Amino acid sequence: MSGPLILWLMGAMALFVTANTVLRAYAGNGQVVVLVGALCLFTLGNLMMVRLMRESGLAIAISISSVAQLLMISLVAFLWFGERPTGMQLLGMALGVVAVMVT
């Protein structure tokens, strides 16, 4: 994956992390406007992913994106919402990182 594509991926990941954070907030307050905002952010993130899939292939783009999202969302859940992953979940995250690193 080239430098510009990595930057594009980082932008898409920022949108997905923000969308998931907003969606978690919706789960707490139930305001429809918050849900609509999250869905708009998810749509923008997915539109950005189309370019990544076109230029780097589906398997690479989705694999890297999934693991990056998993790590970033877990960090937000831990720091912002006070959620604690179990040992098995931490092991799963580590295996995901290893899988992407050897690809």
Side-chain angles (χ1 to χ4, degrees):
M1 194 173 282
S2 67
L5 281 182
I6 291 172
L7 290 174
W8 195 256
L9 175 65
M10 289 170 53
M13 295 307 93
L15 281 171
F16 285 128
V17 169
T18 304
N20 278 295
T21 303
V22 171
L23 195 58
R24 173 59 171 82
Y26 168 76
N29 68 28
Q31 295 178 341
V32 175
V33 69
V34 176
L35 174 62
V36 171
L39 293 175
C40 289
L41 290 169
F42 277 121
T43 300
L44 290 173
N46 279 311
L47 289 172
M48 290 180 75
M49 286 301 296
V50 171
R51 176 179 174 200
L52 289 164
M53 288 184 278
R54 185 179 313 134
E55 294 187 26
S56 66
L58 177 67
I60 297 295
I62 296 300
S63 297
I64 293 172
S65 171
S66 297
V67 171
Q69 285 183 64
L70 172 66
L71 295 173
M72 290 187 293
I73 295 299
S74 296
L75 186 62
V76 168
F78 177 77
L79 295 174
W80 193 331
F81 298 107
E83 298 176 7
R84 304 288 187 260
T86 66
M88 189 66 77
Q89 291 167 333
L90 290 170
L91 179 62
M93 288 181 226
L95 288 173
V97 169
V98 169
V100 168
M101 297 301 284
V102 298
T103 301

